[in-house]
Amino acid sequence: MAAEKAAVFEFEIIRSNVVPGAPQQNEAEQMRLRMIGERLRHHLGKSGRFELIDTAPVAKKAAAANLQFCGNCADGFAREIGAEYAFTGTVQKVSELILNINVYVHEAATSKRVTVASVDLRGNTDESWRRGIDYLYRNVLSSRLEKLIK
């Protein structure tokens, strides 16, 4: 079976705990967003089911688009670089203690949602984010992808 071509875009953060006047960029969280994206790519590549397509040619457009609210523009970006599937993700930050990682998978050609996977975190640390994305892939996403993408 040939590997499916997948574009895994950078994760985005959704802040539910916005404090007026407080800085919204957090360098540690930006590093964690990159880290969980890299870990998801690693898991998908290691599975042998996916050939990862480099998103660099559309990275600037994707970063400027707010992928979760742009009307499936990630699917268009994925098609543009030859991917069959678009993977996007968010980390919803409710507070410093409560966070949620979400991964969304779409067929790039049709924008049909294939699946969504989610996991809750307790604690805003490198370790909690790492464990969260690993758990999400291993215990939720991998089995859903195996059933849905043939």
Side-chain angles (χ1 to χ4, degrees):
M1 179 170 85
E4 305 282 354
K5 294 179 180 179
V8 181
F9 294 95
E10 296 301 328
F11 278 74
E12 298 172 331
I13 194 156
I14 300 170
R15 299 179 193 284
S16 301
N17 64 340
V18 176
V19 177
Q24 296 307 303
Q25 289 289 350
N26 178 315
E27 188 175 325
E29 289 171 356
Q30 293 303 311
M31 289 174 44
R32 291 179 191 130
L33 289 169
R34 287 188 295 278
M35 179 260 300
I36 63 174
E38 290 168 9
R39 292 186 79 82
L40 178 59
R41 286 181 196 90
H42 170 78
H43 290 308
L44 291 169
K46 190 175 173 185
S47 76
R49 294 185 49 80
F50 294 95
E51 174 189 342
L52 299 176
I53 303 299
D54 185 8
T55 59
V58 294
K60 285 184 181 179
K61 290 192 286 188
N66 192 346
L67 297 178
Q68 301 312 310
F69 302 104
C70 65
N72 295 331
C73 63
D75 303 332
F77 298 146
R79 286 190 305 270
E80 189 176 324
I81 57 175
E84 298 164 294
Y85 293 93
F87 285 72
T88 60
T90 60
V91 174
Q92 184 175 4
K93 183 178 178 184
V94 177
S95 69
E96 282 299 316
L97 179 62
I98 302 169
L99 300 99
N100 181 276
I101 298 175
N102 305 286
V103 174
Y104 309 90
V105 184
H106 288 102
E107 283 183 350
T110 64
S111 292
K112 176 185 170 196
R113 182 174 284 172
V114 174
T115 193
V116 176
S118 183
V119 66
D120 292 333
L121 309 180
R122 294 298 177 261
N124 189 8
T125 66
D126 292 351
E127 182 179 355
S128 66
W129 287 46
R130 184 174 35 256
R131 286 184 177 188
I133 194 66
D134 291 349
Y135 180 91
L136 183 145
Y137 178 78
R138 187 177 54 251
N139 295 4
V140 184
L141 189 59
S142 64
S143 62
R144 290 183 184 178
L145 290 173
E146 194 170 305
K147 291 176 187 174
L148 297 171
I149 299 175
K150 303 207 186 301

